[in-house]
């Protein structure tokens, strides 16, 4: 009688949960092959899972981090209310074939006496950084720590947080990290609303109305594609679209130079970031589209990717 055995799996389907930074270092020292890192704050949705799937397809080992980073929340922001569900996140990540989840407690990464910060000088001055003082200092500090703990070959971030992605790409270059930062497309609901853990703050009615953010961005994009190059007119189109939705309170609409994130005063002469921040009910929502380039294209051609001096 011949007994056939199923082929052994190429990787263990069992997910390893690590909470201790020292243990993360120890496990990382033993890993071989290309490592894909997907940093998250948990409460995962399809946007996060699209990053995980890309990381799974492109690497031998996938590490996802789940950490609601206190240092990127300002006073009065939603640190305590931020949605959390670790058991559900672990089940989703196991299904996606993630190998390692690093989910430390806040005190493990910021013990008493902690005093080291990583901060960029220019890019955080604009857009989200101008409205959320200290936010990007918290993001760049925690992501630096996660890079050091996991030493990835590739790290995956969503285009939805465009300023974050551009800042982190700059950080990777400036600090000479030997890794590729991959910016993945924004995942949207059928209405166009960008997926975000903060959408859970919306009532069903507000969620329906929140599609206005994407409509505003599309108004600017369509005008740009039709040849409009006056940044003031594109901002006006976005604002007019938002003004037609009574539940939307605009924080800003922006057409910014993608290299510097400075507002384009008049005529558009290169790739720009069309972005906005809007409050609807209890939620503060952000979204963006890139005009005149894409994250892949921009990674190859942008100014500032050459050495300084
Ligand atoms: O985008 C996020 O979820 C967070 O800012 C990040 C990159 C995980 C850092 O805390």
């Amino acid at each position: 009688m011949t007994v056939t055995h199923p082929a052994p799996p190429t990787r263990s389907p069992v997910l390893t949960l690590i909470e201790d930074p020292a243990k993360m270092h120890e496990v990382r020292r033993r890993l071989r092959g290309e490592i894909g890192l997907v940093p998250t704050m948990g409460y995962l949705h399809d946007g996060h899972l699209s990053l995980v799937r890309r990381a799974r397809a492109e690497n031998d080992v996938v590490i996802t981090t789940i950490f609601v980073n206190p240092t990127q929340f300002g006073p009065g922001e939603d640190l305590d209310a931020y949605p959390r569900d670790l058991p559900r996140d672990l089940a989703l990540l196991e299904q996606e074939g993630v190998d390692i989840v690093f989910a430390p407690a806040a005190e493990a990464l910021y013990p008493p006496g902690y005093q080291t910060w990583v901060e960029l000088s220019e890019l955080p001055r604009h857009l989200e950084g101008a409205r959320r003082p200290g936010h990007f200092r918290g993001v760049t500090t925690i992501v630096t720590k996660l890079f050091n703990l996991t030493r990835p070959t590739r790290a995956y971030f969503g285009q939805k947080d465009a300023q974050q992605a551009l800042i982190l790409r700059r950080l990777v270059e400036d600090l000479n990290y030997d890794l590729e930062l991959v910016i993945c497309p924004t995942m949207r609901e059928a209405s166009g609303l960008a997926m975000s853990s903060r959408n859970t703050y919306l009532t069903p009615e507000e969620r329906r109305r929140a599609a206005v953010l994407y409509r505003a961005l599309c108004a600017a994009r369509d005008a740009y594609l039709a040849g409009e190059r006056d940044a003031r007119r594109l901002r006006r189109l976005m604002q007019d679209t938002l003004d037609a939705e009574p539940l939307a309170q605009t924080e800003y609409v922006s057409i910014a130079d993608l290299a510097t994130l400075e507002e384009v005063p008049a005529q558009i002469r290169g790739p720009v970031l069309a972005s906005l921040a809007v409050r609807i009910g209890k939620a503060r929502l952000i979204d963006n589209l890139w005009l005149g380039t894409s994250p892949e294209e921009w990674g190859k051609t942008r100014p500032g990717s050459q050495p300084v001096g």
Side-chain angles (χ1 to χ4, degrees):
M1 191 175 80
T2 317
V3 181
T4 54
H5 296 284
T10 50
R11 59 170 191 274
S12 159
V14 179
L15 174 149
T16 303
L17 172 63
I18 301 176
E19 292 171 306
D20 176 12
K23 178 80 182 165
M24 185 65 244
H25 273 308
E26 184 194 317
V27 169
R28 175 62 187 91
R29 274 194 292 274
R30 283 188 270 114
L31 294 177
R32 296 287 167 265
E34 298 193 326
I35 315 289
L37 171 68
V38 183
T40 80
M41 297 208 299
Y43 212 72
L44 304 177
H45 50 67
D46 276 348
H48 296 112
L49 297 182
S50 72
L51 307 184
V52 168
R53 284 174 197 141
R54 174 110 181 240
R56 182 69 281 162
E58 295 180 351
N59 300 277
D60 301 303
V61 178
V62 177
I63 306 177
T64 300
T65 63
I66 298 180
F67 183 64
V68 182
N69 174 34
T71 65
Q72 68 188 75
F73 289 79
E77 290 190 356
D78 56 344
L79 173 60
D80 292 336
Y82 198 86
R84 294 158 167 90
D85 190 345
L86 186 61
R88 175 180 163 276
D89 289 345
L90 294 177
L92 286 169
L93 294 173
E94 184 145 36
Q95 264 172 35
E96 297 297 336
V98 165
D99 302 286
I100 296 169
V101 174
F102 178 54
E107 311 75 60
L109 289 185
Y110 298 111
Y114 185 88
Q115 52 187 291
T116 302
W117 302 98
V118 179
E119 193 167 15
L120 278 70
S121 53
E122 304 300 328
L123 290 176
R125 287 183 198 272
H126 311 286
L127 303 171
E128 287 302 287
R131 275 98 189 162
R132 303 183 65 191
H135 169 67
F136 285 117
R137 181 176 95 139
V139 170
T140 44
T141 299
I142 192 64
V143 171
T144 300
K145 286 162 74 68
L146 297 175
F147 284 169
N148 293 339
L149 282 157
T150 60
R151 289 182 282 124
T153 316
R154 297 182 190 83
Y156 297 81
F157 296 89
Q159 185 190 329
K160 153 91 175 15
D161 294 305
Q163 186 176 14
Q164 167 173 284
L166 292 166
I167 284 174
L168 293 174
R169 201 170 249 184
R170 185 79 256 166
L171 176 144
V172 164
E173 284 189 15
D174 289 356
L175 296 186
N176 306 99
Y177 275 107
D178 182 19
L179 66 85
E180 183 189 347
L181 193 139
V182 184
I183 304 179
C184 302
T186 303
M187 298 298 284
R188 299 184 179 280
E189 299 186 357
S191 68
L193 176 64
M195 289 186 186
S196 162
S197 305
R198 289 192 166 100
N199 291 351
T200 51
Y201 300 153
L202 297 167
T203 64
E205 173 64 8
E206 289 166 347
R207 203 177 181 110
R208 199 177 61 71
R209 306 277 196 104
V212 72
L213 275 79
Y214 187 56
R215 281 206 304 282
L217 290 167
C218 288
R221 182 202 56 197
D222 293 347
Y224 177 89
L225 291 176
E228 180 61 80
R229 290 295 181 271
D230 186 330
R232 293 162 297 194
R233 290 211 198 102
L234 297 185
R235 282 189 287 267
R236 175 48 49 206
L237 275 171
M238 290 197 278
Q239 189 63 66
D240 288 347
T241 311
L242 293 170
D243 287 347
E245 172 46 68
L247 292 192
Q249 288 176 275
T250 308
E251 258 192 36
Y252 64 83
V253 293
S254 163
I255 299 290
D257 182 315
L258 255 171
T260 62
L261 295 183
E262 278 164 19
E263 216 50 44
V264 178
Q267 208 59 19
I268 296 174
R269 302 195 194 284
V272 290
L273 177 69
S275 67
L276 38 73
V278 177
R279 285 187 188 275
I280 297 193
K282 290 202 197 77
R284 180 180 183 279
L285 305 172
I286 59 171
D287 199 356
N288 68 87
L289 290 175
W290 298 27
L291 307 181
T293 190
S294 63
E296 301 73 42
E297 184 64 18
W298 183 244
K300 292 181 212 128
T301 60
R302 75 194 187 288
S305 53
Q306 297 86 22
V308 177

